[in-house]
Amino acid sequence: MGFFSKLFNNQKKESKIYSTALTPQKSALSNSILLNVHPDIRNYIWIGDGKMKNYTPQQNNGQKVTINGVTFTFSFGLQEEPSLIFTNLPIATNTASVERPPYFPIYKELSPAQRGMYWKLLANPYDSSIDIGYVFILYYGLERYLLTDKYEEVINILLKLRDVHTNASFQSYSANAIILTCLVRQRADLVIKFMNSLDKEHEYSFSDNLFLLCKYCLNLSLTVPEIIRLAKSFEFTKTTYIKNYPDTFSEILTENVKAKYNGNEIPCEKLLTKAEFNKLPKQKIPIFANISIRDRDIEVPQILTSFKFKKDIYFLLEKTHEEVKSKLAELRKKGTAPEKKATPKKLAKEVLSFDTSQETLLLSDYKKAKIGSTDQHFALIALQNFYYKYRAIDDKYLELCIKYCLEDISNLAKMQNSYLKEEEKRINDMFFLSKTEKQIELNKITAFDGTIPAFKRLAIIYEKAKDFDSAINICGQAINYYTSIGMLSQANEFQDRQEKLLIKKSKLSK
């Protein structure tokens, strides 16, 4: 079954776009000022003045784009396109010792020297030595072009840019934009092209959920290297042997995959049925990083919330871990154990700058969601992840993370009730089912069986703070919750964690 038939009911109508705000006006793009721009991007630049002007900001909100019957509404009066070039602004040719642009760069707010550096990038957008801030200015404009009929050409440009610019944020934003644009456009062929482009480690710096969603919906199999790379997303945290003895771990995991699936890879359809896929909760994901068009999002199935999808791989990884452990012990006795892989030097961490625009977006999603709904649950998870990321900048962000974790946990009973009602409504709305068939489907409804990240995150936060009583209490809540809905492996995990915490507490009190 195809990628988009699972997500958009296999609509094959030709995409149409209705919005003057999104369509570049005709302009003299062959003008001499653009002759120095790289030919790949010469026709994908937004200009705000002069004879070459191809952009006019719309002051009214509510511009609409209709694609395959799905309508997106964009607000254009609030923020101007950040990549918009004004030809009357001064440009300095001396770009030596130029300050890097601010976190959210806008062309017209750059200094003359910074504009000179940006034009240097436009001459060669594949120059990886140029600061990523300038790449983002170009990228914002390309995102806007994804909303036009030039989206396929722009995706090809983005694939080339992703090949050379290794910045994790750029990789994440661009991957999301490509995948979600293809999702809306019903272009499975372009998704396959994107997946085939992932031939460098840095290109995997994007949502594991989207990666697995592409794999599942395109009927692609998971390879052993992919399983190892995604081990933590499958809830497997015992990564010591993966890090220290990667070849041995890979070899034994390959043998285990062959034994279970009669091949070197795992077909994704073996991990989740169509019916189970259709029951996955969805989360609203922003399509763009460009703040002037970022008020739109799209609902995406959260495949990583399904323990059933993850459990077989988790058990394979667990089995492999134990077998590697036994094999290494045996080889050590013989004196033939392989050497531990040398730990690579840690690169200096990129200095984080708090993303206020992202915070605004996430808080907006949270406030719009109904209390106790699955939408609110996923909005709370997004806030927890966001504030935890910035915990080193200020203690207040850790406190906010804790706040939203506790709120999520307190609403779990309401969320479960809301989820059951949503499932009942979904089935009752299936007009093509008979009354008997609907009842059969209704009888299959089970509790929301996604893992609750707040439990683990709070347990870790409290343990690091040596607040063992709070950590033990959270583990107890997790045990009760997971036991009540039949997720016994998760309950056992927190039982083990609680016992270790009790031991640590007793040692501290001596």
Side-chain angles (χ1 to χ4, degrees), residues 13-24 58 60-76 144 146-151 184-185:
K13 192 174 180 181
E14 182 66 24
S15 298
K16 292 184 179 179
I17 298 176
Y18 304 100
S19 174
T20 56
L22 297 176
T23 305
Q58 301 292 316
N60 59 311
N61 293 337
Q63 294 293 319
K64 293 184 178 180
V65 182
T66 301
I67 302 171
N68 290 331
V70 181
T71 300
F72 296 85
T73 302
F74 294 82
S75 300
F76 292 96
R144 184 178 288 272
L146 287 175
L147 293 165
T148 75
D149 58 3
K150 295 183 177 183
Y151 69 92
V184 174
R185 299 280 187 175

Side-chain angles (χ1 to χ4, degrees), residues 80-84 100-110 114 118 131-140 290-291:
E80 191 171 61
E81 167 57 45
S83 72
L84 194 60
R100 64 178 301 174
Y103 181 74
F104 181 72
I106 298 174
Y107 177 81
K108 72 177 182 180
E109 294 181 3
L110 299 178
Q114 288 173 327
Y118 181 61
D131 187 272
I132 194 65
Y134 299 104
V135 179
F136 263 104
I137 298 175
L138 171 63
Y139 173 67
Y140 295 144
N290 183 336
I291 196 67

Side-chain angles (χ1 to χ4, degrees), residues 432-447:
F432 50 86
L433 294 182
S434 67
K435 189 174 181 180
T436 301
E437 288 171 329
K438 284 184 181 180
Q439 190 56 53
I440 291 172
E441 291 300 315
L442 288 169
N443 291 338
K444 292 179 182 177
I445 295 176
T446 58

Side-chain angles (χ1 to χ4, degrees), residues 119-288:
W119 278 89
K120 183 178 178 182
L121 174 77
L122 293 182
N124 181 10
Y126 310 114
D127 183 350
S128 61
S129 68
I130 295 178
D131 187 272
I132 194 65
Y134 299 104
V135 179
F136 263 104
I137 298 175
L138 171 63
Y139 173 67
Y140 295 144
L142 292 175
E143 280 193 332
R144 184 178 288 272
Y145 272 102
L146 287 175
L147 293 165
T148 75
D149 58 3
K150 295 183 177 183
Y151 69 92
E152 185 170 352
E153 298 98 304
V154 171
I155 286 174
N156 289 332
I157 294 170
L158 290 177
L159 293 182
K160 291 174 70 175
L161 291 171
R162 285 174 51 80
D163 203 49
V164 296
H165 296 291
T166 61
N167 176 270
S169 293
F170 173 72
Q171 291 291 325
S172 177
Y173 282 127
S174 58
N176 282 13
I178 291 170
I179 293 171
L180 298 175
T181 296
C182 291
L183 189 155
V184 174
R185 299 280 187 175
Q186 303 272 305
R187 291 294 300 271
D189 59 320
L190 292 181
V191 179
I192 293 174
K193 186 173 186 177
F194 167 75
M195 296 292 280
N196 289 338
S197 77
L198 304 176
D199 58 355
K200 294 182 174 68
E201 185 64 29
H202 69 261
E203 292 175 322
Y204 288 95
S205 297
F206 67 97
S207 163
D208 289 347
N209 184 75
L210 283 181
F211 177 82
L212 291 168
L213 193 63
C214 290
K215 281 278 183 176
Y216 178 80
C217 293
L218 291 169
N219 290 332
L220 301 174
S221 296
L222 283 172
T223 66
V224 166
E226 289 168 348
I227 293 167
I228 291 173
R229 183 177 66 81
L230 297 169
K232 289 186 178 179
S233 290
F234 292 113
E235 309 296 339
F236 185 75
T237 56
K238 302 173 186 176
T239 58
T240 302
Y241 295 134
I242 291 176
K243 293 174 183 175
N244 295 338
Y245 303 96
D247 294 338
T248 305
F249 195 95
S250 178
E251 178 187 325
I252 294 178
L253 179 58
T254 300
E255 292 171 2
N256 288 332
V257 169
K258 280 182 181 177
K260 187 172 178 64
Y261 296 98
N262 298 316
N264 292 336
E265 300 178 350
I266 301 178
C268 286
E269 64 266 23
K270 298 283 188 183
L271 302 174
L272 200 67
T273 66
K274 177 187 173 184
E276 290 161 343
F277 177 86
N278 291 334
K279 290 169 65 176
L280 288 175
K282 295 181 179 180
Q283 182 179 2
K284 290 180 179 179
I285 303 292
I287 303 175
F288 305 114

Side-chain angles (χ1 to χ4, degrees), residues 7 9 21 55 86 92 169 184 202 224 247 275 377 396 451 455 485:
L7 299 178
N9 300 319
Y55 172 91
F86 293 92
S169 293
V184 174
H202 69 261
V224 166
D247 294 338
H377 168 62
K396 69 180 180 181
T451 55
F455 284 131
I485 60 173

